[in-house]
Amino acid sequence: MTAAAMGASTLRALAVRLRTTAPVSARLLSELASELDRGGPVADLLCSHSAVHSPLFGVQALAGVRLLMLSGKAPELSRRFASAQAAAMSGESDSPALLTWLAARDAIVENPGEVLAALDRTVQQHQPKTAGFLLRGLTMIGAPKVRLLELGACAGLNLILDHYRWFGLGWEWGDKDSPVRLAATGPQPPRLEIVDRAGCDLQPRDPADPKHAMILQSFIPPEHDSLRWDLDDAIDLAAKVGVKVARSPAGRWLRENLVPPEGRGTYTVVWHSSFWSYLTEDERHEIETTLTAAAGSMPLARVAYESTDFRSNPRLTVTIYS
């Protein structure tokens, strides 16, 4: 299979997934796939990048186009997208969606450097609601004091889960005055204090940096308003909290930071989500070896919300090491 055919297939698969919840984005991806089939300047640009072989190529390509809109470099595309979205919501003709694609094609051709830079980036679909699975894991562990270490922490939005307000069935948990208010499942969490928190990432994002915030926003299709609102609120809150994420490979960072915590009665929890599939077998082995070696010197657990590959649904796992 050629690079163009592989890329087109990936784009169409994502378009099918988005067809119901993000119809304009889905149409854009379908038209982009057809463009790869036909060939031309857009196909030549995208197929020149190795990301075209990745199962996440569609996510990266759509994020690149979205970032052109957010940065103000594609005003005509932004205007056309808004019109197409309004038409889709009212059930009108899909002709505005076709005009949106034509504007997107022009924007890609006019901004090749920005599009290629987007394909260079790791996919960072960084949503505060993912911390709900971490909260579920901490509830299962039941420790009153926790030191939280996150691998692949991005902008650290999961590290500040206790600064959010969570609403479960018959219970609430977290900061009652938080601007980030999220639904949760499972039993009521216990009283717990996060006494220390730290994280690492190969491409960390600073929530206080508008350019970094824009990159995170680019991974949300424009139609997904509620996800964007939650993300924006969490980014603002993380900037105020001042959470910092170290730029480092996970294995090395974990070896350096997985030392016994100060004080007694603190449970160390290593957490990661949408991270494991990016690692090589050697990197996974390094992390597992570090966790196993540290188990004899501290109460230790790992909470993970991961899929077996990029195409499967993630699962929550809690591993107690000591």
Side-chain angles (χ1 to χ4, degrees):
M1 183 180 291
T2 65
M6 183 177 298
S9 175
T10 304
L11 292 171
R12 290 191 173 98
L14 180 57
V16 170
R17 287 168 48 195
L18 292 178
R19 189 172 295 160
T20 301
T21 63
V24 183
S25 294
R27 176 64 181 273
L28 192 154
L29 287 168
S30 295
E31 295 290 349
L32 184 56
S34 298
E35 189 78 3
L36 293 192
D37 290 336
R38 290 190 295 267
V42 172
D44 291 343
L45 176 68
L46 297 182
C47 292
S48 70
H49 198 286
S50 61
V52 74
H53 300 282
S54 167
L56 297 176
F57 171 62
V59 178
Q60 292 169 293
L62 185 60
V65 173
R66 175 62 173 151
L67 190 57
L68 293 177
M69 298 166 61
L70 291 169
S71 64
K73 294 182 178 180
E76 177 65 13
L77 173 58
S78 296
R79 187 175 70 83
R80 293 291 186 185
F81 203 107
S83 297
Q85 188 174 351
M89 292 178 64
S90 61
E92 297 176 6
S93 167
D94 68 346
S95 58
L98 178 58
L99 294 175
T100 300
W101 155 244
L102 296 176
R105 185 178 62 186
D106 290 342
I108 292 171
V109 171
E110 293 166 4
N111 299 276
E114 286 80 357
V115 173
L116 291 177
L119 297 180
D120 282 335
R121 296 188 188 100
T122 300
V123 171
Q124 293 176 316
Q125 294 174 313
H126 196 32
Q127 279 294 313
K129 68 175 185 178
T130 304
F133 296 99
L134 170 59
L135 180 60
R136 186 77 177 270
L138 294 178
T139 301
M140 295 168 68
I141 295 169
K145 291 185 178 181
V146 169
R147 175 181 59 159
L148 184 59
L149 304 177
E150 183 175 11
L151 309 179
C154 193
L157 303 188
N158 293 314
L159 287 168
I160 59 170
L161 79 162
D162 52 330
H163 290 266
Y164 303 154
R165 189 63 173 177
W166 298 92
F167 296 87
L169 185 60
W171 58 265
E172 299 179 19
W173 188 89
D175 183 355
K176 61 182 179 62
D177 297 319
S178 176
V180 182
R181 311 178 79 77
L182 301 165
T185 59
Q188 182 171 358
R191 289 182 175 270
L192 67 88
E193 178 187 4
I194 298 179
V195 299
D196 191 19
R197 65 194 86 208
C200 70
D201 200 287
L202 287 177
Q203 296 182 6
R205 299 298 170 195
D206 181 357
D209 186 328
K211 291 183 179 179
H212 284 211
M214 196 180 298
I215 289 172
L216 296 179
Q217 293 160 350
S218 72
F219 287 101
I220 300 178
E223 299 95 325
H224 292 177
D225 290 329
S226 61
L227 294 180
R228 185 174 67 254
W229 296 332
D230 287 344
L231 177 62
D232 290 348
D233 287 342
I235 288 173
D236 289 344
L237 181 58
K240 293 176 182 176
V241 172
V243 60
K244 296 295 182 182
V245 176
R247 183 183 298 274
S248 174
R252 183 180 71 195
W253 182 86
L254 189 62
R255 288 198 314 273
E256 295 171 352
N257 287 270
L258 194 57
V259 296
E262 296 181 3
R264 301 182 62 182
T266 298
Y267 216 107
T268 298
V269 176
V270 176
W271 150 255
H272 54 85
S273 63
S274 302
F275 160 80
W276 204 244
S277 295
Y278 289 98
L279 303 181
T280 65
E281 285 300 323
D282 286 344
E283 290 170 326
R284 295 177 185 179
H285 178 73
E286 179 183 16
I287 291 170
E288 184 61 44
T289 299
T290 299
L291 290 167
T292 302
S297 60
M298 70 187 80
L300 177 65
R302 172 164 59 172
V303 178
Y305 184 61
E306 298 284 358
S307 55
T308 56
D309 56 49
F310 292 116
R311 295 179 177 85
S312 59
N313 292 326
R315 299 177 181 177
L316 175 67
T317 59
V318 177
T319 307
I320 305 297
Y321 288 84
S322 57

